[in-house]
Amino acid sequence: MSSDNRTALRDLRRTRQVRRLGDTEWFDVAYRVYLFALGGLTAVVIASDAIDGFIGEDVTTADLLTRGPSITGVAVAVACFLGLRSGANGGPISIEVADIRHVLLAPIGRRLVMLRPIGQRFRSTMFSLGLVAAILGQFVAREVEGSRAAWAAAGALFGGVVGAVFVGSALIAHALRLPRWSATVLGAIGVGWQAAAAWTIWRGNTTSPLRFGPATLDGSLAFWGIRQRGIDAIAIAAAVALVGVGLLLGGRLRLEPLARRGELVSQLRFAATVQDLRTVVLLRRQLRAETMRARPWAWRGRTRPHGPVRSVPHLVWTRGVRSLRRLPASRLGRIGLLALIGGVSASLTVTSSPLFALGVLAAIFLLGVEVIEPLSQEIDHPDLTDSLPVDRGTLFVHHLAAPGGLLVVAGLVGAAAATALHPTHAAAAFALAVPVAWAGATGPVVAAVLDAPAPPSAAATTLTGAPRDQESSFVPPEFAGFSNAFSTLMPVILSALGIVPILAMRVAPDATTAVRSFVGVALLLAGLVVWIRRRDRWAVRIREFFAQGRAQQVGGSTP
Amino acid sequence: MTDPATTTGPSALAVRSLTKRYGDAAALAPLDLDIAHGERITLIGHNGSGKTTLIRMLAGMLEPSAGSISIWGHHSGSIDARAAVSYLSDQPVFYDDLSVWEHLEYVSRLHHTEDWEQRAVDLLDVVGLVDRADDLPATFSRGLRQKAAIALAFVRPFELLLVDEPFVGLDRVGRLALLDLFESAHRDGATLLVATHELSVVHVSERLIALSGGELIYDGPPADADVNALSAGIGIDDD
């Protein structure tokens, strides 16, 4: 690469950086940083108070040092698995399409061009995971020996290594053009091996050769707050080597996936900016190259075109089942994994720290997002919906039947996982798993239904009667931010109602609690169904009420 | 652009068993093609015939599922190939934060273009964007974006110009300007491969290639071809 090219590239980037900095609203940035820091600190303080029981009282420091590295090593193995999958799907780098068209198609060495985005990817991933692990480290410090600072530093180091493993393995998989299936197999072998090591050591078998996994040394770094071993430096060296290899492989990244990712990521950023959950989910699936199966599972040929006339509910349910039968294996696997995580986290919430309830919340919310495909498809195609001679609310409600069925299966998987961890939880787990899964799905359902366009009679004007395109907002600006935050958080808050039964069982683990929880969830679901069925009619009535008020005002003021 | 007399030896473009598959679907069947230096070729075919796939693979934007592409003896996507090929896409792409003039500057400099300012001014004049040179192309209409993309494709030196649906969104002035630029580039010795549905421009090319369903159904002089039938995907053998 000639110095002319280097200079041109440097000038291009500098010009753009200066322009970006010039366009930045610094007060706005400072305010966001302040909010983020305040929220983060509050969350950390609350979590610190709730940490009690995170590590069992019977676990000694020696136990922790013997068992811990294999268990934390699983996180590294999972990072490697996810990295390999990401690389096989064209990740982990995303650059602007304009850069691909104008810079990567120019006669310039691509390795030099890619150094910066690859370096940024390493930096951001290692920093964010290091930050999370450092926070977790200082939580751990509350329950075991060692200073908070030492645990936090060890956590930061461990998180940084996890980030380096993720990005490095992704870059290697991308540059070597690893097929998706082989990335999955390789990653699964690593995770399986490390999980076997963790299980072996957890069971107290300290002599089996299986007690060492491929990431045990990496896992040991998390415990450098109280024990530093020279041999663990091998893990650090390996992570540094991964970063180096990743930077060197920049010239071998492929344009086709880079261009595809570039387009999708720019759409994804926009969707995230406008807090469009459904679009974010869709684009993330496209990033993973997930498409619906051309042939559904258990396909027995095309259905007869002239079958007997069926009722609307039956048709909609059948359509929903067909949709779910087209889910790709990776998505079904994810549903199964989320169910397992939810079940294990629920069991740990009852027996260990209440913080594990956050794991349940994440699992049941994401489960809901994954299973409501039929409803989402209907909402994504409003023209098709409005052309049907069926009330839209009724149609949406019937679309919940098939996902509800799939959530029953997921709930049972979660209950089985909870039972495997604590067999004494079996009765409660199987009684509450399905209601919890259903309650968890209410958030994603509400988010999806809110994305549906307003009914035609209410779509053109705002509540004040002004044309919608001429009045930006009905609420004053002081409340607009709060209103936005509320509408963004509301789905999560609704899903959080799903963890109430688990927290209740933590306090009073008896049949009465289970029955009360069941009734509570039933009321929540009934409310959801009523809201979906009637929201259009309510919107029209509210509009009419305001219109009448305006008419009376005009009539009253006329002499 | 280079002097035709200075470039001898291998073909401008040599394609061997080039294939592109998306899962089970074949976007381009195994294709063999040789294009000599200085040829002016029009590529036609119905929607989904494989024109854009072929052009994007030649430009290095898409990876072949099988086969090879050689541009003046260089592997497609190599630095030498990138220096030789200019690609004018049907979907212009610009940085959101750079003006038309800044785009022209950086593309020119990345391609070591001498005296790029004068060339840029001339091109902006030809496509009618002189007054918009300091505006952001990301805010332009479809037609103006296409004109800005044309200026970018021609401001740098090239030996092979790959063009995909260049007339979409262009007004009459823009179309005439583009045809003049094609003519000028051809006179200067460049090789042109233009994929289009615009059958009225076929007669100005020396060679016509037609694709249907990812397969080559015609390769020869435009005068001998039933252009309308070929465009609809009906090959000579189908008659």
Side-chain angles (χ1 to χ4, degrees), chain A residues 370-502:
Chain A
E370 292 291 347
V371 302
I372 58 167
E373 186 66 34
L375 174 68
S376 301
Q377 285 293 329
E378 197 68 60
I379 286 167
D380 284 347
H381 301 93
D383 291 345
L384 292 177
T385 307
D386 290 343
S387 68
L388 298 174
V390 183
D391 174 65
R392 194 168 63 158
T394 307
L395 195 68
F396 289 168
V397 168
H398 288 309
H399 270 306
L400 299 180
L406 186 55
L407 280 177
V408 170
V409 179
L412 294 177
V413 171
T419 305
L421 199 64
H422 289 288
T424 53
H425 292 177
F430 280 97
L432 288 179
V434 174
V436 165
W438 281 347
T442 53
V445 168
V446 167
V449 173
L450 283 174
D451 276 348
S457 56
T461 56
T462 64
L463 283 179
T464 60
R468 193 173 285 275
D469 56 356
Q470 288 180 18
E471 189 173 343
S472 58
S473 176
F474 180 62
V475 293
E478 293 79 9
F479 292 97
F482 176 76
S483 168
N484 279 344
F486 182 74
S487 59
T488 305
L489 289 176
M490 192 170 62
V492 180
I493 293 168
L494 279 172
S495 288
L497 294 176
I499 59 175
V500 172
I502 297 164

Side-chain angles (χ1 to χ4, degrees), chain A residues 1-2 4-5 7-9 11-13 15-17 19-20 23 96-110 177 254-257 259 263, chain B residues 20 22 56 59-64 77 79-80 82-83 85 87 89 91-99 102-103 105-107 109-112 136 152 156:
Chain A
M1 182 171 171
S2 73
D4 284 354
N5 276 335
T7 313
L9 190 62
D11 288 350
L12 165 69
R13 286 175 168 168
T15 304
R16 300 191 66 208
Q17 189 175 26
R19 190 150 300 165
R20 263 199 306 271
D23 290 343
E96 285 178 80
V97 182
D99 260 341
I100 293 168
R101 195 68 69 77
H102 302 307
V103 181
L104 291 182
L105 282 186
I108 302 176
R110 285 182 181 159
R177 302 172 182 231
R254 298 143 55 204
L255 245 54
E256 185 176 341
E263 284 171 14
Chain B
K20 184 66 182 177
Y22 293 103
R56 286 171 68 86
M61 292 288 293
L62 281 183
E63 297 165 4
I79 287 189
D80 291 324
R82 280 183 261 153
V85 174
Y87 168 47
S89 164
Q91 292 173 329
V93 175
F94 303 99
Y95 295 105
D96 290 342
D97 51 359
L98 291 185
S99 67
E102 287 165 334
H103 273 88
E105 176 189 350
Y106 288 116
V107 168
R109 289 179 60 192
L110 289 170
H111 286 269
H112 313 289
L136 299 176
L152 275 180
R156 40 151 300 187

Side-chain angles (χ1 to χ4, degrees), chain A residues 19 61 170 300 322 327 330 355 371 425 427 437 446 530:
Chain A
R19 190 150 300 165
T61 302
R300 291 190 299 274
R322 284 183 183 159
L327 293 182
S330 56
L355 276 185
V371 302
H425 292 177
V446 167
V530 170

